[in-house]
Amino acid sequence: DTAVSQTPKYLVTQMGNDKSIKCEQNLGHDTMYWYKQDSKKFLKIMFSYNNKELIINETVPNRFSPKSPDKAHLNLHINSLELGDSAVYFCASSQEGLQGASNYGYTFGSGTRLTVV
Amino acid sequence: AQSVAQPEDQVNVAEGNPLTVKCTYSVSGNPYLFWYVQYPNRGLQFLLKYITGDNLVKGSYGFEAEFNKSQTSFHLKKPSALVSDSALYFCAVRDRRDDKIIFGKGTRLHILP
């Protein structure tokens, strides 16, 4: 069983389109994240949700809108896609969250490679 | 705000030799520190972490890292490199008061046969 799964794995679309990327985790984690990895491999956090509540919203254009229907899912919707949105988007989850303390790192999905043409 | 620096874009090591991938960090409080590895066209895989306790942390695939508070460093090491260790390595830090992990820019490790 895949712990954190993202769909689709590849997405090629034209400028101006609207697209969604889905993420699901079966680890029972409380917190989920979206990261963007650009062409230089730099990883930058975009959003974080804890139990369906938005807790981190970095400086991201409002064309990007995360949605968390339940704590096992965090989807990313992107409106009016631009060339600069081309990147690999990683979903991740972790057990701690606002409760802080205990430890640990994230479990990552395998990524969605978005290409805007 | 926390930050992570990986000063080397690329490290080349001959197979069988020891390897070190450098990482320094900056946080206002006590850090959680992590190393992740990314193989081509794959997601990030957790290697090891420092939370508290022994400064020398052992992780997956024979890797270890040493937490040095005075130098604010968390360098990744392995006594004997394998060609299969070739990948992109990310150091990451989390301030214990914050909920997000900040990643370094990554270091590409090439192990030469």
Side-chain angles (χ1 to χ4, degrees), chain A residues 14 18 28 35 37 51 53 56 61 63 66-67 73 77 98 100 106 114:
Chain A
Q14 291 186 327
D18 303 338
Y35 277 81
Q37 186 175 43
N51 278 320
E53 181 180 347
I56 293 173
R63 297 182 294 105
K67 286 187 171 53
H73 296 84
H77 188 76
L98 291 176
Y106 299 165
L114 171 64

Side-chain angles (χ1 to χ4, degrees), chain A residues 3-5 22-32 49-52 67-75 91-93:
Chain A
V4 180
S5 60
K22 296 184 177 182
C23 179
E24 176 181 4
Q25 55 96 3
N26 61 6
L27 299 166
H29 287 172
D30 293 324
T31 309
M32 297 183 71
Y49 269 73
N50 178 269
N51 278 320
K52 303 190 297 177
K67 286 187 171 53
S68 182
D70 55 63
K71 76 172 193 176
H73 296 84
L74 180 61
N75 303 323
C91 178
S93 71

Side-chain angles (χ1 to χ4, degrees), chain B residues 5-6 20-24 33-37 44-50 63-66 74-77 88-92 103 106-107:
Chain B
Q6 293 181 244
T20 299
V21 183
K22 295 180 181 177
C23 172
T24 58
L33 294 158
F34 308 89
W35 277 100
Y36 286 83
V37 59
L44 277 75
Q45 296 178 33
F46 171 79
L47 268 184
L48 52 79
K49 65 182 184 290
Y50 170 82
F63 283 93
E64 59 189 28
E66 186 166 12
F74 190 57
H75 302 328
L76 181 70
K77 300 182 180 184
L88 186 58
Y89 289 80
F90 290 93
C91 182
F103 287 84
T107 299

Side-chain angles (χ1 to χ4, degrees), chain B:
Chain B
Q2 61 262 45
S3 64
V4 181
Q6 293 181 244
E8 303 151 317
D9 290 336
Q10 183 167 310
V11 171
N12 297 323
V13 177
E15 187 177 24
N17 283 1
L19 69 87
T20 299
V21 183
K22 295 180 181 177
C23 172
T24 58
Y25 66 90
S26 174
V27 296
S28 54
N30 291 319
Y32 293 137
L33 294 158
F34 308 89
W35 277 100
Y36 286 83
V37 59
Q38 185 178 24
Y39 297 100
N41 300 314
R42 301 284 296 276
L44 277 75
Q45 296 178 33
F46 171 79
L47 268 184
L48 52 79
K49 65 182 184 290
Y50 170 82
I51 303 299
T52 187
D54 195 347
N55 288 346
L56 184 63
V57 177
K58 294 188 183 298
S60 307
Y61 313 121
F63 283 93
E64 59 189 28
E66 186 166 12
F67 170 60
N68 188 318
K69 188 173 183 177
S70 62
Q71 296 184 3
T72 60
S73 67
F74 190 57
H75 302 328
L76 181 70
K77 300 182 180 184
K78 186 172 181 179
S80 178
L82 300 172
V83 172
S84 58
D85 293 330
S86 298
L88 186 58
Y89 289 80
F90 290 93
C91 182
V93 66
R94 174 181 163 184
D95 189 316
R96 290 173 192 236
R97 300 168 299 177
D98 201 342
D99 196 53
K100 62 185 178 185
I101 290 180
I102 302 299
F103 287 84
K105 65 178 174 60
T107 299
R108 193 166 296 281
L109 179 63
H110 284 287
I111 307 302
L112 309 169

